[in-house]
């Protein structure tokens, strides 16, 4: 089979919402690579959140920050950061509104002063929203094991900023305050969202995949994308084949070319087998 370029979302696709990585997924990825295919993670995570259990799989490259960072075969092809002025204005605005947040950088996740305390109930609510057991025992440090709680908050290496929503109005006000940036929500639908996030505009997973394919002169017809959430839809639309996970949202499952099983039901491995990527 001709080399295929496989693009995998991480949370809810490669790992489940408790950050558990199925052995079947690891075996499938390694088998696909042994057959000559290229496998990349495409995620909202910054590089600091790509923990060893994921990196040790040995991917051919990584797209992070939902598209602001592209790395392949050890070479950085793209890295677009917030300016220092943008970052400082967001941090000041969040402080003024007494909203706790964390900065997402390839050098680490940097939490605001009270994020660990305020965030504990929010991460419990997030786990409950994802219908995962053990939500009551979850903590910020379990969700973000390498988060830095005493770091500098005015930085020049920030990809994205996530913040806890005290009210949906916080998101609406952020949209109005930062029109030149892309403001979104996650951890719930619409007004039930738990987090807001602020990132550079005109960047998404699709544009990052285009950058990578152009670098190699690769054909879009040789691409397959895997995802579970609304943010993954642009890359599933762009790639020749778009595959949704069984645990994904209804919107992505409705537009996908194929719906596989859930992460916990070895959905990634089964999809690789279905499309002849592995035996």
């Amino acid at each position: 089979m001709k080399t295929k370029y496989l693009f995998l979302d991480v949370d809810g696709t490669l790992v489940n919402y408790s950050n558990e990585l199925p052995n079947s997924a690891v075996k499938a990825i390694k088998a696909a690579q042994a057959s000559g295919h290229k496998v990349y993670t495409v995620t909202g995570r910054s590089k600091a959140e790509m923990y060893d259990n994921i990196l040790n799989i040995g991917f051919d490259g990584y797209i992070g920050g939902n598209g602001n960072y592209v790395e392949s075969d050890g070479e950085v092809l793209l890295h677009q950061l917030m300016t220092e002025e943008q970052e400082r204005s967001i941090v000041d605005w969040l402080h003024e509104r007494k909203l706790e947040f964390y900065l997402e950088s390839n050098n680490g996740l940097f939490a605001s002063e009270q994020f660990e305390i305020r965030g504990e109930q929010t991460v419990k609510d997030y786990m409950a929203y994802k219908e995962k057991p053990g939500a009551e025992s979850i903590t910020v440090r379990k969700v973000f094991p390498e988060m830095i709680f005493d770091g500098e908050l005015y930085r020049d290496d920030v990809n994205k900023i996530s913040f806890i929503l005290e009210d949906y109005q916080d998101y609406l006000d952020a949209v109005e305050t930062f029109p030149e940036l892309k403001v979104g929500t996650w951890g719930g639908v619409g007004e039930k969202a738990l987090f807001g996030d602020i990132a550079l505009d005109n960047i998404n997973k699709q544009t990052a995949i285009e950058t990578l394919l152009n670098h190699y002169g690769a054909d879009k017809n040789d691409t397959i994308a895997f995802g579970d959430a609304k943010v993954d839809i642009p890359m599933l639309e762009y790639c020749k084949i778009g595959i949704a996970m069984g645990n994904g949202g209804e919107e992505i499952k409705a537009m996908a070319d194929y719906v596989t099983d859930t992460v916990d039901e070895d959905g990634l491995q089964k999809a690789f087998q279905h499309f002849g990527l592995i035996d």
Side-chain angles (χ1 to χ4, degrees), residues 14 64 130 146 238 274:
L14 176 63
K130 292 297 186 180
E146 297 182 19
Y238 177 76
H274 178 84

Side-chain angles (χ1 to χ4, degrees), residues 3-257:
T3 296
K4 300 295 184 185
Y5 290 79
L6 313 180
F7 298 100
L8 315 181
D9 171 55
V10 174
D11 297 288
T13 301
L14 176 63
V15 302
N16 65 20
Y17 300 120
S18 297
N19 212 31
E20 296 165 336
L21 174 64
N23 193 46
S24 63
V26 178
K27 288 182 177 179
I29 291 163
K30 290 184 179 294
Q33 289 173 315
S35 296
H37 304 301
K38 299 288 189 181
V39 188
Y40 300 86
T41 54
V42 188
T43 176
R45 296 188 187 200
S46 293
K47 198 167 185 180
E49 293 178 273
M50 297 294 283
Y51 304 125
D52 287 345
N53 67 322
I54 295 175
L55 292 177
N56 289 342
I57 296 172
F59 288 96
D60 294 285
Y62 156 74
I63 293 173
N66 280 333
N68 86 309
Y69 181 83
V70 182
E71 179 182 306
S72 184
D73 295 323
E75 179 183 359
V76 177
L77 307 181
L78 174 74
H79 193 187
Q80 296 182 262
L81 297 165
M82 288 183 178
T83 66
E84 289 184 68
E85 291 76 17
Q86 288 172 327
E87 193 270 355
R88 180 179 286 269
S89 69
I90 296 166
V91 168
D92 287 345
W93 183 81
L94 292 168
H95 275 142
E96 287 168 7
R97 294 182 71 102
K98 295 182 170 53
L99 298 174
E100 299 303 322
F101 60 91
Y102 63 94
L103 312 176
E104 302 183 37
S105 159
N106 284 8
N107 296 312
L109 301 183
F110 299 89
S112 62
E113 294 83 353
Q114 299 299 316
F115 182 82
E116 183 173 14
I117 296 170
R118 172 61 188 86
E120 182 158 327
Q121 184 58 52
T122 304
V123 296
K124 290 182 192 301
D125 293 342
Y126 179 70
M127 295 300 288
Y129 162 67
K130 292 297 186 180
E131 298 182 347
K132 298 303 296 184
E136 285 307 309
S137 64
I138 203 71
T139 65
V140 168
R141 289 181 187 259
K142 286 181 180 178
V143 176
F144 304 106
E146 297 182 19
M147 181 168 270
I148 298 164
F149 293 95
D150 57 356
E152 175 58 53
L153 296 178
Y154 290 139
R155 309 186 61 83
D156 62 2
D157 60 354
V158 173
N159 301 318
K160 186 173 65 168
I161 300 175
S162 285
F163 59 98
I164 297 173
L165 294 170
E166 297 293 347
D167 187 274
Y168 191 68
Q169 189 63 43
D170 296 325
Y171 158 70
L172 298 176
D173 290 348
V175 170
E176 184 176 347
T177 305
F178 304 106
E180 77 284 7
L181 296 169
K182 181 166 61 179
V183 182
T185 62
W186 57 280
V189 178
E191 296 188 12
K192 295 183 179 179
L194 298 170
F195 289 91
D197 61 14
I198 305 175
L200 295 176
D201 201 4
N202 299 317
I203 291 175
N204 59 39
K205 294 184 176 186
Q206 173 188 326
T207 59
I209 290 173
E210 284 182 302
T211 296
L212 190 147
L213 294 178
N214 289 338
H215 177 75
Y216 287 108
D219 191 338
K220 188 171 76 169
N221 287 324
D222 296 321
T223 59
I224 305 176
F226 302 76
D228 74 300
K230 186 175 181 179
V231 71
D232 300 317
I233 289 177
M235 74 170 179
L236 265 67
E237 289 177 333
Y238 177 76
C239 289
K240 177 65 175 178
I241 299 172
I243 300 171
M245 302 302 291
N247 49 270
E250 292 307 313
E251 191 170 355
I252 193 169
K253 288 194 284 189
M255 61 72 60
D257 298 303

